Amino acid sequence: MSLFKKKQISVDVMDINTMYVSTGQIGEYIKNLYRKEGFKHIGYRHAVKDGLDRFVIYTLPNQKEVIQYFKDRCPAMVEEECRKLQGEEHEWARWPNGFSEIER
């Protein structure tokens, strides 16, 4: 057992079904949050939870406004907003500590 706790580099804030949402749509959704809300440091990953394909949206632990934004929303709201989008190409920025985010 280690005496040192490993520092958490990200916190999951939302997960949604991948069935009706593309990577381009979720990328555009995040870039819209950057533009409209002034947020930063948001990424997503594909995960399988209980046998279901999900997009998991995450941010840095110190991004309190981003975390609260997603606490104020249910997955169906986020999925619906994503489904309305056409999809947008996006690039990733990868940090030395392993954190990855959608570039602004």
Side-chain angles (χ1 to χ4, degrees):
M1 180 177 195
S2 174
L3 296 174
F4 300 100
K5 187 176 179 181
K6 187 175 177 182
K7 187 174 180 179
Q8 183 180 13
I9 62 169
S10 69
V11 59
D12 295 347
V13 294
M14 178 68 61
D15 65 270
I16 63 171
N17 192 330
T18 63
M19 187 175 293
Y20 304 110
V21 176
S22 71
T23 55
Q25 288 169 313
I26 197 162
E28 183 178 354
Y29 175 76
I30 291 169
K31 290 177 85 173
N32 283 344
L33 291 176
Y34 289 168
R35 292 185 282 256
K36 295 176 182 175
E37 302 292 336
F39 292 161
K40 55 187 176 181
H41 308 308
I42 304 173
Y44 70 89
R45 68 179 181 280
H46 178 262
V48 177
K49 291 186 164 192
D50 298 323
L52 302 171
D53 290 330
R54 310 293 288 177
F55 283 125
V56 179
I57 301 172
Y58 59 84
T59 190
L60 295 172
N62 66 351
Q63 295 296 303
K64 304 296 184 205
E65 290 176 355
V66 174
I67 294 167
Q68 188 61 52
Y69 179 89
F70 284 101
K71 282 183 180 180
D72 291 341
R73 281 151 183 80
C74 73
M77 292 171 67
V78 174
E79 181 180 327
E80 186 62 30
E81 287 184 42
C82 288
R83 289 177 71 172
K84 292 178 182 176
L85 302 172
Q86 293 296 311
E88 184 176 316
E89 289 187 26
H90 50 279
E91 300 292 327
W92 290 88
R94 300 190 194 288
W95 296 21
N97 69 356
F99 183 79
S100 295
E101 66 180 322
I102 299 297
E103 290 185 340
R104 297 178 74 94

